Amino acid sequence: MYVLGLDIGGTSSRALLVDASGRRIGYGKAAGGNPAAHGTETAAANIRQALEPALRGVDPAEVAGAVIGMAGIGALDRPVFDRMWASAGLRCAPVVTGDLGIAFAAGTAEPRGTVLIAGTGAIAARIEGGQPTVISDGLGWLLGDQGSGFWLGREAARAAVHSLGRGESDGLLTRLVAGHVRDSRAGDVPDAGGGAAGAPTGAEQGSGAGWPPVDGRAEAIRIVVHLQGRSPLELARLAPLVSRAAAEGDPDALKIVSMAAGLLCATVAEVRAEGESTPIVLAGSVLTSQGPVYAAVRDGLGAPTVLAGDAAGAAAWLAAREAFGLDDEEARRLHRRILREE
């Protein structure tokens, strides 16, 4: 008998099949399956595409259980999803849940604790019995997501345009942001031969060509106009530049890192009792990359933390725990196997 774990996000869908011993049997990956972002029809098709290689060579009727961690679950048209599920030959009824409990399980087999996710967005939750009971933030890029990748990118852009507006162009973070935007703008305007026309690339401006700008304020306005005409995700793409500049001691980047860590720790404090000793699981690209924000958050929390591992593996573990009726000790052993801790 087997179980399936699926990790469904906006950019990718991943499916993992394991047997009762925790051995990984099949794995598949496809495009994003978030129904809020793609619509249920497209999302279901992408999930189906991830299921195919995961189930290859296996009788789907032998899958005893499945847990699906899905972003955008509120937009799911369940009849459409159920038809896709049945078309894959699966007979078990999947448990479809949000990503907080899955992220927590990706870091620990304990039933209680705290999870902090900081990726493009940011959210924290208190976990009881494997389920979120109190949630903080996760309120979106416009009104929340404090300390997230979007927030980091916005602060990087803010620092850059303010520096340029004052005629200051020598800061590393400012140069990196301006280079990123110049590259993006150049890619938007193809020349007659099909190449990119316009501004020099980030590498060129970093070596001196076209930098510093003759008019810093004009450069700042170009950055503002470019970013305001793009999706908020464009700002999130600036987040790694903060880590890079902070690692080299850029004062603007170090200030942003400190602020982000403070905001993320405050989000955790809203869901966690002071002095609590249960595990804190850190998830999401801002934290699992183990850059300066991760280090500052870890130090700021003042409590033991663990990094989340494979979310599809965590979902498979949750499915196995239920389908195979495991006791606590058996569940912990299986968690270590599936999450490759042993």
Side-chain angles (χ1 to χ4, degrees):
M1 300 295 284
Y2 308 99
V3 291
L4 271 167
L6 288 87
D7 174 34
I8 308 301
T11 58
S12 69
S13 301
R14 299 183 303 121
L16 174 66
L17 185 75
V18 303
D19 65 14
S21 72
R23 184 166 58 103
R24 292 175 173 234
I25 304 299
Y27 176 81
K29 183 176 181 180
N34 180 337
H38 304 291
T40 298
E41 293 282 357
T42 298
N46 290 340
I47 295 169
R48 180 73 167 82
Q49 188 175 350
L51 283 170
E52 288 177 4
L55 294 170
R56 189 169 295 134
V58 170
D59 180 358
E62 294 186 22
V63 177
V67 169
I68 303 171
M70 177 180 287
I73 187 174
L76 182 66
D77 184 335
R78 192 58 188 254
V80 172
F81 174 86
D82 288 344
R83 286 195 295 273
M84 175 278 297
W85 191 255
S87 75
L90 293 160
R91 298 178 184 174
C92 63
V95 175
V96 184
T97 184
D99 54 359
L100 288 167
I102 301 292
F104 182 73
T108 180
E110 295 300 317
R112 299 177 60 248
T114 306
V115 62
L116 171 65
I117 304 175
T120 302
I123 189 170
R126 181 178 187 84
I127 303 295
E128 300 276 358
Q131 296 297 319
T133 58
V134 183
I135 296 174
S136 178
D137 207 348
L139 299 175
W141 64 268
L142 183 61
L143 302 177
D145 290 345
Q146 302 273 43
S148 66
F150 166 80
W151 186 94
L152 287 162
R154 184 188 63 194
E155 292 304 307
R158 192 200 304 271
V161 298
H162 280 274
S163 292
L164 288 166
R166 294 191 299 267
E168 300 169 2
S169 58
D170 57 342
L172 176 58
L173 183 61
T174 296
R175 297 200 310 272
L176 291 173
V177 169
H180 174 92
V181 171
R182 284 185 172 200
D183 285 345
S184 297
R185 289 175 59 237
D188 288 344
V189 186
D191 63 20
T201 67
E204 288 171 339
Q205 63 92 3
S207 64
W211 198 264
V214 174
D215 186 337
R217 180 164 179 82
E219 184 74 12
I221 295 302
R222 281 192 286 270
I223 293 172
V224 169
V225 170
H226 175 80
L227 292 175
Q228 286 184 343
R230 297 296 184 277
S231 113
L233 287 175
E234 182 70 18
L235 283 169
R237 294 187 183 103
L238 299 176
L241 305 183
V242 177
S243 295
R244 177 178 165 187
E248 304 222 6
D250 180 89
D252 285 335
L254 290 170
K255 181 179 178 181
I256 292 169
V257 166
S258 177
M259 291 172 61
L263 290 167
L264 291 169
C265 289
T267 299
V268 169
E270 291 188 10
V271 302
R272 185 174 176 86
E274 187 175 353
E276 189 174 339
S277 60
T278 58
I280 302 175
V281 175
L282 305 180
S285 58
V286 170
L287 299 173
T288 56
S289 62
Q290 301 189 55
V293 177
Y294 159 75
V297 167
R298 179 198 60 202
D299 295 344
L301 288 172
T305 61
V306 59
L307 286 176
D310 176 20
W317 172 72
L318 290 169
R321 191 179 61 177
E322 181 67 25
F324 303 139
L326 305 179
D327 63 29
D328 289 346
E329 186 54 39
E330 289 172 330
R332 287 189 175 89
R333 283 199 297 267
L334 194 66
H335 187 277
R336 290 193 293 270
R337 283 193 209 111
I338 295 176
L339 275 295
R340 295 183 171 173
E341 297 169 18
E342 62 176 32

